[in-house]
Every structure is written in C-alpha cells, then in structure tokens.
Amino acid sequence: VVYEDRFRAEALVSAALELTAYRQFAAAPQQRLSHGRFDFQLGGAVVEVVYRSEAARIDLNAAPKPLLAGLFSSLGARPEDAEHYANRVIEWRTPRPKSTENQSGRVADQAMAEPGHAPRAAKFPHVGELTLVQGVPSAITERALPFLTVFSGKPQVNILEAPPEVIAALPGMTPDRVRSVLTYRQAFPNDGKVLLAMLGGAQQYGTIEGSKALRITAQVTLAKGRQLSSEVVILLFDNDKAPFSVLSWH
C-alpha cells in the first residue's frame, strides 16, 4: 500500500510539473507569471501546486560578496563574521589555476574545508554543500538553506518574489525600508520599477526579471486521505523537443 501511494503521488507530481510548464508556455512571453498557485483533481486525488522563480533566492554561485554577507548578517551573524562567511563561500567556488597550485596551496585548501572534504574550487552543485565549508557555523547554514539556490544563475534577486528574509539581506537595507518595500509590494505586486527605486543603494542587487528555473511544491492528498508532498525544480526550454527538464526532486 505504501509503495502504491508513493507511485500514485509521483505520477501526480509529474502532472503538476507538466501543468505548470503548460501554464508558462500558454501565455505570451511578456505575460508569463514567474510565481503563482493552482490546484487540480485527478484519479480521485487533489493536488495543490505553488510555483516560484528561483530568482527569488540568492544564488550561491552567482551572488556577490555583499549579498552573501547580507544574508548571513540578517540571519543573526555579526557583521564581521558575516563578511568572513561570505569570503569562505567565494573561496570555495572560485577556480584556482593548476599552474599556481603547490603544496602550501593544497594545505590552505584543506584548512578551508571540513575534515575529509577539499574545497571544490568550482561551482556549488547543490546548496547542501555549504555544510562542508569550514568556518560557517551549522546553525547559520541551516537558517540560510531555505533562501539559497544554485539554479538561478543571477547575481541579483527578484524583489517581486523574494521572501522578506531575502529582501532584508540586500546590503544597506534597514528594518524600516524593508517594511516599506513589503507593504508597497503587497499593495502593488507588479510595480517593479517603484520597488527597485525604494531599495535605494541596494538597487544594484535587485531585479524584476524571473528565471527559467522554477521551484514547484506539490501537495498531494490521495482519495484515502493520505498526504504526500514534493519540491521540484525544473528548467524551462523554449523548444518543442523538451518543454522542461528536472533539476532537483525532493
């Protein structure tokens, strides 16, 4: 029975992915919404779907140091510690030319990583790899993971969709300015130009553009009442051969 429930839920989540992609491609490019929600019934089950562009999160591989430090600081780190954590992330993801590698460099690399894990010196393949970066406390890592991605590819965050914690992470944002931005966004959710202007000096870290990567949460309620959920990231393609590919499924 458990196997059958999981099998049904997986098929229903696949249907949710296809319907989300269909909604995107059915609309004109300039009218596509990069966030939304809908529900449907299929096979006696009810599926509730929420989707949002990955640009609402901070990209571990593309975000500049001030944005990373701003996130760590907004999650409780002292400013000097937040700068240190951001430096560690950038050191981890930055390639090092082989011609300059030497024994001392390898020793330094080992000092940057948790025991048994050398720094990748390349892009993070998964946000969970942040737990391997030495010097970033596990408590900060756990708080940061819900606001990080490796699928956006953008150095900025989409302020039309970003959660309050990400808005607060923008460098130079004060609590009063964050409240003003969130209040205005609730009243005028599509007025991106004004929202960008309200960021002040943090405007360079914000954008109103979405991402071709969408994070989809599908809550499945089977006919018998059992509930299962999946969180999936898909990448949309503008061609007829493959409308999307799955980047992550949890």
Side-chain angles (χ1 to χ4, degrees):
V1 171
V2 171
Y3 176 83
E4 182 180 349
D5 285 350
R6 289 179 178 174
F7 182 79
R8 289 180 180 274
E10 184 174 333
L12 290 163
V13 172
S14 295
L17 305 183
E18 294 173 3
L19 284 171
T20 302
Y22 171 77
R23 284 170 168 256
Q24 292 294 305
F25 292 122
Q30 64 273 17
Q31 296 177 334
R32 292 176 185 172
L33 296 177
S34 52
H35 65 282
R37 62 176 62 235
F38 63 94
D39 58 75
F40 64 94
Q41 296 183 24
L42 184 63
V46 177
V47 185
E48 300 175 19
V49 184
V50 178
Y51 63 92
R52 187 178 300 274
S53 165
E54 279 295 272
R57 297 183 174 216
I58 296 172
D59 194 300
L60 264 180
N61 294 318
K65 176 183 172 181
L67 186 53
L68 292 169
L71 176 63
F72 294 135
S73 179
S74 69
L75 296 177
R78 296 181 301 177
E80 59 271 24
D81 291 335
E83 290 276 333
H84 174 69
Y85 305 155
N87 282 331
R88 288 289 181 159
V89 170
I90 291 174
E91 290 167 354
W92 183 277
R93 77 189 189 191
T94 302
R96 281 174 286 283
K98 292 184 178 180
S99 59
T100 61
E101 286 184 353
N102 52 39
Q103 185 62 33
S104 62
R106 286 194 293 272
V107 171
D109 282 352
Q110 291 294 341
M112 289 167 49
E114 291 297 328
H117 299 279
R120 182 172 293 276
K123 293 182 177 180
F124 286 81
H126 189 278
V127 293
E129 191 167 278
L130 181 61
T131 62
L132 302 182
V133 180
Q134 192 178 52
V136 183
S138 59
I140 291 292
T141 299
E142 290 174 3
R143 294 176 203 159
L145 288 180
F147 311 111
L148 295 172
T149 183
V150 294
F151 302 123
S152 164
K154 294 182 178 294
Q156 307 96 355
V157 294
N158 188 327
I159 60 169
L160 295 175
E161 305 165 0
E165 293 85 351
V166 173
I167 298 294
L170 299 177
M173 293 292 285
T174 63
D176 288 340
R177 178 165 288 180
V178 171
R179 282 193 293 271
S180 297
V181 169
L182 294 176
T183 300
Y184 188 87
R185 186 175 71 174
Q186 185 174 9
F188 306 97
N190 298 316
D191 197 346
K193 292 184 178 180
V194 172
L195 283 172
L196 280 175
M198 293 177 68
L199 298 181
Q203 186 171 344
Q204 61 179 309
Y205 303 103
T207 181
I208 56 176
E209 296 180 359
S211 166
K212 289 187 176 181
L214 296 178
R215 185 174 296 264
I216 302 166
T217 302
Q219 177 78 37
V220 177
T221 303
L222 299 174
K224 294 177 291 185
R226 186 180 181 193
Q227 292 186 329
L228 302 95
S229 64
S230 291
E231 186 176 73
V232 186
V233 180
I234 65 172
L235 180 66
L236 299 174
F237 295 120
D238 287 318
N239 60 60
D240 296 331
K241 294 182 180 179
F244 65 89
S245 66
V246 174
L247 301 179
S248 171
W249 188 311
H250 176 69

